[in-house]
Amino acid sequence: MNNEDKPKQLGRLTLETVKSLGKGAQPYINHDFDADIQSNDRIDAMKTKVLEMPDLNMLDLSYDQIKALTDEELVKLLSGESHEGFIREPTIQLISNELLMRQIKEASKPHWTIIPTFYAVLFFGFLTIVIGILSLLKQL
């Protein structure tokens, strides 16, 4: 394999390189290459730069912690009023699902007037049957 068949080590893409490519010029001719890329020393080539992530103040709640919060607190978390920072996607989904389950549970409860009405209908039905039986006995 001769030198023309080998891939060229291009280095960093700079604004000058982009401009020269736009004008139809040969890329990377007479340009300075990145010293780290041109290095033949394997130790230099394997060095990596470690970047520290900024503190994003991520909120990550467990399911038990979410269940312990009130509806108002959960809505404030979703709207961003009670937490300065980011909320992880799974946590957002758990909060939304918990609010939805609470709403479904609340909507499926019978209204407080249902039970007294049932007993009233039962009482008046029984009273009607008794009066009907008494009126039949009176006619005999």
Side-chain angles (χ1 to χ4, degrees), residues 68-131:
L69 296 174
T70 65
D71 290 352
E72 185 178 329
E73 291 170 329
L74 292 175
V75 170
K76 283 184 178 181
L77 280 175
L78 286 179
S79 67
E81 290 179 39
S82 66
H83 179 70
E84 295 293 328
F86 294 97
I87 302 176
R88 296 185 187 279
E89 286 294 324
T91 305
I92 291 174
Q93 198 168 18
L94 280 174
I95 292 172
S96 299
N97 287 344
E98 179 63 24
L99 284 172
L100 184 61
M101 287 189 327
R102 289 178 185 182
Q103 289 173 351
I104 290 171
K105 190 181 289 185
E106 186 65 30
S108 65
K109 286 182 182 177
H111 194 261
W112 66 270
T113 58
I114 297 294
I115 294 174
T117 304
F118 172 75
Y119 288 122
V121 168
L122 190 64
F123 172 73
F124 286 118
F126 179 74
L127 186 64
T128 304
I129 291 172
V130 169
I131 292 174

Side-chain angles (χ1 to χ4, degrees), residues 46-83:
M46 294 181 70
K47 285 183 182 176
T48 58
K49 295 179 182 178
V50 177
L51 298 176
E52 292 186 24
M53 290 294 294
D55 183 24
L56 300 176
N57 194 13
M58 293 296 268
L59 178 67
D60 194 12
L61 298 174
S62 69
Y63 184 65
D64 293 332
Q65 290 171 326
I66 291 172
K67 286 186 74 89
L69 296 174
T70 65
D71 290 352
E72 185 178 329
E73 291 170 329
L74 292 175
V75 170
K76 283 184 178 181
L77 280 175
L78 286 179
S79 67
E81 290 179 39
S82 66
H83 179 70

